[in-house]
Amino acid sequence: MTRRYVIVGNGPAGVAAAEAIRRHDTAGEIRIVGGEDTGFYSRPGLAYLLTGAIPEESLFSRPASDHDLAGIHRTVGTVREIDPQRHRIVLFDGQAMSYDRLLLAVGARAVRPAVPGIDLDGVVTLDNLDDARRILRLARRAKRACVVGGGITAIELAEGLAANGVETHYLMRGDRYWGSVLDPYESALVEGRLAEEGIRIHRGVELAGVIGRKGRVAAVETRDGSTLACDILAVAIGTQPRLELAHLAGLQTGRGIWADATFQTTDRDIFAAGDAAEVLDPETGKRGIDSLWSAALDHGRAAGEQMCGVGRPYRRPAPFNVTRIGGVTTTLIGAVGTGARDVDLVTLGRGDSNAWREHADAFAVVSDGEANHLRLVLGPDRLVGAVVMGDQALSRPLQHLIRERVDIRWARDRLSRGPIEVRKALQALIERTVPLGAA
Amino acid sequence: MDLLQRDRLKRRALVSAVIVAEAVRCVECGICTYNCPQGIDVRDHVLSGLPVSDAGCLTCGECVARCPRGTLRFEVSPLFRDRVGPGRPVR
Ligand SMILES: Cc1cc2nc3c(=O)[nH]c(=O)nc-3n(C[C@H](O)[C@H](O)[C@H](O)COP(=O)(O)OP(=O)(O)OC[C@H]3O[C@@H](n4cnc5c(N)ncnc54)[C@H](O)[C@@H]3O)c2cc1C
Ligand code: SF4
Ligand code: SF4
């Protein structure tokens, strides 16, 4: 009998799942339902659309024809209802689809702070292409913008607005940028770069409300009672997995949709993956959420296999993200958390992982005073995390040492003995575990 | 060594190089493809896991330099290509 697979979500998790299913089940009927009326595009690329580095067409990375050839059907529409008993979903336009296996890859949405005026025209978040288009439209007429929040998205919004000639003010609630993940030196490095781009940083400022005129943003008001006139307020205080469909289906949820290491939810025929899923790591017994492009692809691939009844349980690798913040290429690997609370993010941001918040008690730091900086997070017997800013030469070997949990005990002492020793010890570790250039 | 000869040597070294990618870093933004003067779909190579060994590639380095994620790099000898797995250090 032909198996019917329905995937809700046309993002990386959904698409990777569809492709994996096709590899293992050549006869199955595969349908993707996505809420956006565009084809598959790069969400992280939206930041570069805002700065003008690429035109919109460049975001579309996978031609629809590839999926047509693979017999993957795509429907534009929003799912309104799931009936797990009858194995059926219904879209808002009334269309119904039956499934044998269902995947929820519905992603996460930006949260907005509960302050007066937050729904005024001119308050923006950055979740999708429509949002980016709206921001660009608004920026054309705007003189001044305020940005609140933290993590990567807040910076991308600020840089995008500034690149469009808008006077941009970044209002930080805390006293430094992304304090839960970056150390003070790293925060200062990014802040210095932003200042060079003309972005004005305000510290210890908390948004109290948005003041409107004729339904549009006219100013922001802060807790200390002062106001700052602006035409745009961009918000990036964190994201929330979309849970509505899971609730309708009676699935168990926490911060995200609960899934086990085979991506199965609490209903055996419904799976969850990507930003929306809170996945159990059988090794630690903990559930984790990532908001990462490569993690969403991994999830999707693994979930697709499981939906076909093949594949191995998922082991969450040390999360990994590389991004350009304030013009500095930055790689975050594994547990790099500083232990500090981040007051600018109320939940997980985009390009973020809760594993970065876990922190160890020992660090090794090497900085050259310019934009090149390296921070290693040391566990008792292995490296648990690393931050690599600027020169990326060590990023790949470090990723290997962390992901493969390479034993560092014999070099650990040297790793805490100052910059020169750190470099030497690292080199020795790398050479000893994976000889350069060898397979 | 005269300048011309040095140029020629450099050129030869570069021509024998291919662009390889560390796919896990790629976010499919398309900056590489957009900036390639030869119109090579660099991103498509990254997605399919194939190095850019296109005869049209000038090894100009635009894609390598502009990728915001440090995904791309030159690898000098294509002979070594198959022996390099993901996450392995390569110089
Ligand atoms: C501006 C921005 C910058 C980012 N930067 C980075 C970065 O630097 N590095 C990084 O690793 N990651 C980054 N990310 C995060 C990354 O894009 C996400 O982790 C990834 O897209 C998650 O994939 P997903 O498939 O789970 O969900 P999404 O890509 O969010 O896709 C969700 C899909 O579900 C659909 N959907 C939702 N509800 C319904 C419904 N009821 N019915 C039908 N369809 C529905 C949506 O239309 C969409 O197609 C960024 C994201 C954004 C927005
Ligand atoms: S090196 Fe230059 S010509 Fe070759 S793929 Fe990159 S941008 Fe194109
Ligand atoms: S520029 Fe880099 S991240 Fe963007 S598509 Fe090309 S390789 Fe991927």
Side-chain angles (χ1 to χ4, degrees):
Chain A
M1 201 190 73
T2 316
R3 210 183 248 171
R4 294 160 305 175
Y5 303 90
V6 174
I7 295 167
V8 189
N10 192 35
V15 164
E19 290 170 353
I21 292 169
R22 183 49 85 226
R23 277 195 294 277
H24 295 282
D25 183 347
T26 47
E29 196 182 288
I30 307 174
R31 288 179 191 283
I32 301 183
V33 188
E36 293 168 86
D37 64 359
T38 55
F40 179 84
Y41 63 91
S42 165
R43 253 170 241 277
L46 294 173
Y48 312 122
L49 178 66
L50 289 185
T51 59
I54 36 165
E56 202 178 290
E57 310 84 79
S58 285
L59 295 174
F60 297 90
S61 52
R62 301 173 192 223
S65 52
D66 286 4
H67 287 163
D68 294 344
L69 286 176
I72 296 167
H73 305 275
R74 198 171 70 92
T75 304
V76 176
T78 305
V79 178
R80 184 188 65 192
E81 212 181 290
I82 300 181
D83 184 341
Q85 263 75 49
R86 295 171 64 195
H87 283 64
R88 212 170 75 120
I89 64 165
V90 183
L91 313 195
F92 271 99
D93 65 8
Q95 210 183 140
M97 291 178 195
S98 298
Y99 65 82
D100 297 304
R101 300 271 190 283
L102 177 70
L103 176 68
L104 298 179
V106 289
R109 71 162 63 82
V111 294
R112 292 183 177 219
V115 298
I118 200 68
D119 292 322
L120 284 165
D121 196 9
V123 179
V124 295
T125 51
L126 183 58
D127 280 346
N128 51 40
L129 185 54
D130 271 346
D131 291 338
R133 288 175 178 155
R134 186 174 313 119
I135 292 169
L136 286 171
R137 228 174 14 243
L138 287 167
R140 246 179 262 142
R141 288 178 278 137
K143 285 202 177 59
R144 190 187 277 160
C146 289
V147 179
V148 296
I152 295 168
T153 311
I155 297 270
E156 289 175 340
L157 283 164
E159 292 187 303
L161 288 161
N164 280 279
V166 183
E167 181 189 311
T168 303
H169 294 253
Y170 180 12
L171 314 184
M172 278 191 312
R173 217 162 139 192
D175 57 358
R176 65 184 180 89
Y177 172 66
W178 214 7
S180 56
V181 171
L182 303 183
D183 75 9
Y185 179 90
E186 293 151 5
S187 298
L189 195 78
V190 176
E191 288 167 21
R193 291 303 181 106
L194 295 181
E196 280 169 26
E197 290 172 31
I199 295 163
R200 300 171 200 202
I201 298 175
H202 305 256
R203 295 182 173 75
V205 177
E206 192 175 343
L207 182 73
V210 194
I211 301 165
R213 196 181 308 126
K214 294 186 193 153
R216 295 194 35 82
V217 173
V220 296
E221 192 176 6
T222 60
R223 288 263 177 250
D224 63 7
S226 52
T227 58
L228 182 61
C230 61
D231 323 280
I232 298 176
L233 170 64
V235 178
I237 61 167
T239 60
Q240 167 63 48
R242 292 193 177 91
L243 298 177
E244 299 82 355
L245 292 180
H247 288 157
L248 284 172
L251 306 179
Q252 205 152 4
T253 59
R255 278 238 315 106
I257 306 171
W258 275 15
D260 64 14
T262 66
F263 294 93
Q264 205 170 44
T265 64
T266 44
D267 179 306
R268 57 188 293 261
D269 293 325
I270 306 180
F271 296 72
D275 280 12
E278 193 175 345
V279 185
L280 183 72
D281 183 344
E283 206 173 306
T284 60
K286 284 195 223 161
R287 290 175 190 279
I289 299 193
D290 293 315
S291 177
L292 296 169
W293 186 263
S294 64
L297 287 172
D298 281 351
H299 278 194
R301 219 172 284 130
E305 288 174 358
Q306 295 292 342
M307 289 165 79
C308 298
V310 297
R312 275 175 307 182
Y314 180 74
R315 201 187 108 194
R316 189 190 196 197
F320 165 86
N321 190 21
V322 42
T323 186
R324 193 171 276 187
I325 27 184
V328 186
T329 303
T330 302
T331 304
L332 305 169
I333 317 164
V336 295
T338 57
R341 210 168 70 89
D342 196 324
V343 287
D344 285 305
L345 283 173
V346 296
T347 64
L348 205 63
R350 300 263 185 211
D352 205 342
S353 170
N354 65 351
W356 291 334
R357 303 298 189 285
E358 293 156 16
H359 64 104
D361 44 19
F363 295 102
V365 177
V366 184
S367 297
D368 68 358
E370 303 280 326
N372 297 319
H373 170 82
L374 173 69
R375 172 160 55 96
L376 306 176
V377 187
L378 311 178
D381 49 14
R382 61 188 177 94
L383 278 173
V384 297
V387 178
V388 186
M389 297 178 92
D391 182 2
Q392 296 294 310
L394 284 174
S395 153
R396 262 165 342 119
L398 281 172
Q399 199 182 317
H400 178 85
L401 293 176
I402 294 166
R403 285 205 159 169
E404 300 307 318
R405 306 168 184 217
V406 170
D407 191 338
I408 60 156
R409 274 173 298 188
W410 60 275
R412 197 177 185 287
D413 271 359
R414 293 166 65 193
L415 285 172
S416 35
R417 247 187 254 149
I420 297 171
E421 274 301 303
V422 171
R423 278 194 199 284
K424 278 198 209 149
L426 213 51
Q427 201 59 42
L429 263 171
I430 291 163
E431 274 162 17
R432 203 158 131 165
T433 35
V434 266
L436 290 174
Chain B
M1 197 189 318
D2 68 61
L3 268 178
L4 248 170
Q5 192 189 353
R6 208 166 67 203
D7 239 37
R8 232 178 282 129
L9 283 178
K10 187 174 147 211
R11 178 105 195 113
R12 199 175 311 144
L14 285 178
V15 165
S16 68
V18 289
I19 308 282
V20 293
E22 190 190 347
V24 66
R25 299 172 85 95
C26 178
V27 290
E28 305 183 28
C29 67
I31 289 182
C32 49
T33 299
Y34 180 62
N35 286 291
C36 174
Q38 293 294 85
I40 296 170
D41 192 342
V42 185
R43 169 174 59 194
D44 196 52
H45 281 80
V46 178
L47 293 181
S48 60
L50 297 171
V52 179
S53 48
D54 193 304
C57 174
L58 306 168
T59 58
C60 66
E62 277 297 301
C63 56
V64 177
R66 293 200 193 230
C67 168
R69 313 279 163 158
T71 304
L72 304 165
R73 64 180 197 281
F74 283 112
E75 199 169 279
V76 177
S77 171
L79 294 174
F80 280 82
R81 221 158 52 212
D82 301 335
R83 297 192 15 217
V84 179
R88 295 278 155 80
V90 178
R91 274 293 163 82

